[in-house]
Amino acid sequence: MSRIAYVNGRYMRHDLAHVHVEDRGYQFSDGVYEVAAVYGGRVIDEEPHLDRLERSLRELRMDLPIPRNALKLVTREVLRRNRVRDGMVYLQVTRGAATRDHPFPEDAEGAVVLTARPVQWPETAAADRGAEVVSIPDGRWGRCDVKSVSLLPNVLAKQDAREQGAYEAWFIDPQGRVTEGSSTNAWIVDDAGRVVTRDLESNILGGITRQTVLRLAREAGIGVDERPFTLTEAQAAPEAFLTSTTSFVRAIVRIDGQPVGTGEPGPVTLRLRDLYLSYCRGGRTNR
């Protein structure tokens, strides 16, 4: 079956889908995006993803080109046409096509693209064998809270990680503190069993999975500390993990080649992974 994409009001074959050569997303990275997981036919955390999309658009002084409810209907149609029950849906909004010039065009119409594809998600927490991360200096722009399509530093960081045999790269700020991963949020577990992740005031992307895991942790009685932590602190922590839409909750067992804790996924990480998988399966109500 051919994959189907939605591009500016039309459903078309994925291999034939295209946007205008002067689309500002292509020429200026003048756009934002969202990626949501689909589990059992349900879009996980759909409302928070749309909330974040609209916030990113506001920061770029853009409006959502189509009503929010209509966007939900398009999402479901893209999933239906691609027969995706477990997978991911990608949504991108740009300022649209206009004659190339840096200032905002007065007459451009926003462009919307949606695609979907199947993914085999993990079934149990025990399936997590852990991942390795490497650290690199954080040289990104100062608005990491906006989910912009401008991802070149993230792409280079992820490539560096893969070339070193690691799953992810952690950005390190000038003070030696971990900011976040190239496509994930970073966490550690301290000696008291509390989960620690950098606060949003420190100008990181407010991960939707991060938001849900924080709530699940608090509801389960797991202590939470939203604050920066250093790379040295992470390397000495008993546990570390990362979160994202497509990684869910995943243990980190090595940082820059050094084992974290026992070098195996820890009990707090596995518990949170199990809670999150239960949430995705419908064990909790999306909100």
Side-chain angles (χ1 to χ4, degrees):
M1 181 189 75
S2 297
R3 287 179 62 193
I4 302 298
Y6 174 90
V7 181
N8 298 331
R10 298 176 57 199
Y11 298 94
M12 58 184 67
R13 276 176 41 187
H14 187 274
D15 59 342
L16 300 178
H18 63 276
V19 295
H20 196 281
V21 68
E22 289 191 309
D23 185 274
R24 288 178 63 90
Y26 172 68
Q27 295 198 337
F28 292 110
S29 297
D30 191 2
V32 300
Y33 75 102
E34 284 291 330
V35 179
V38 181
Y39 205 116
R42 298 167 55 244
V43 180
I44 305 301
D45 287 324
E46 182 176 32
E47 294 297 337
H49 276 290
L50 291 175
D51 289 342
R52 186 173 64 179
L53 174 71
E54 292 188 333
R55 179 192 178 279
S56 293
L57 287 169
R58 286 195 300 272
E59 293 301 305
L60 270 60
R61 287 183 272 174
M62 292 170 57
D63 295 322
L64 190 61
I66 62 176
R68 184 162 168 154
N69 285 339
L71 186 57
K72 291 182 185 179
L73 293 176
V74 170
T75 299
R76 279 148 184 75
E77 183 63 14
V78 169
L79 293 173
R80 186 190 71 80
R81 293 188 183 218
N82 287 282
R83 301 180 186 175
V84 172
R85 286 191 54 78
D86 294 296
M88 56 180 284
V89 60
Y90 177 86
L91 164 63
Q92 179 171 300
V93 180
T94 74
R95 206 176 301 274
T99 300
R100 193 181 191 282
D101 194 12
H102 284 66
F104 298 162
E106 295 182 0
D107 56 351
E109 296 184 5
V112 180
V113 171
L114 279 93
T115 59
R117 62 179 175 88
V119 177
Q120 186 174 356
W121 299 124
E123 292 295 329
T124 66
D128 185 12
R129 295 290 179 263
E132 181 170 354
V133 300
V134 295
S135 61
I136 66 170
D138 194 343
R140 299 171 298 165
W141 76 315
R143 291 303 310 274
C144 297
D145 57 305
V146 176
K147 200 167 177 65
S148 163
V149 297
S150 181
L151 292 172
L152 183 57
N154 306 64
V155 169
L156 294 174
K158 186 77 80 173
Q159 182 63 26
D160 283 348
R162 296 300 165 87
E163 289 176 359
Q164 295 181 60
Y167 178 76
E168 176 62 300
W170 272 3
F171 290 116
I172 310 300
D173 71 15
Q175 290 74 45
R177 302 174 301 187
V178 178
T179 53
E180 57 191 332
S182 67
S183 63
T184 62
N185 285 117
W187 307 66
I188 61 172
V189 178
D190 67 16
D191 291 333
R194 295 183 296 255
V195 295
V196 183
T197 191
R198 195 170 171 113
D199 58 285
L200 297 184
E201 295 301 317
S202 297
N203 196 29
I204 63 170
L205 181 68
I208 303 303
T209 304
R210 173 192 180 278
Q211 173 183 310
T212 297
V213 169
L214 281 172
R215 177 167 58 82
L216 293 173
R218 291 186 173 105
E219 292 176 354
I222 299 171
V224 170
D225 194 0
E226 292 185 72
R227 62 168 175 83
F229 57 87
T230 65
L231 178 62
T232 301
E233 185 180 1
Q235 291 170 325
E239 299 180 46
F241 62 97
L242 54 80
T243 58
S244 76
T245 291
T246 54
S247 296
F248 286 31
V249 177
R250 185 163 186 175
I252 295 169
V253 296
R254 298 180 73 85
I255 300 174
D256 288 334
Q258 301 180 29
V260 176
T262 65
E264 300 288 337
V268 176
T269 300
L270 291 176
R271 186 181 181 198
L272 286 170
R273 182 175 170 88
D274 186 60
L275 288 170
Y276 186 74
L277 287 172
S278 177
Y279 171 79
C280 291
R281 287 192 293 265
R284 306 191 62 84
T285 303
N286 270 358
R287 63 181 183 179

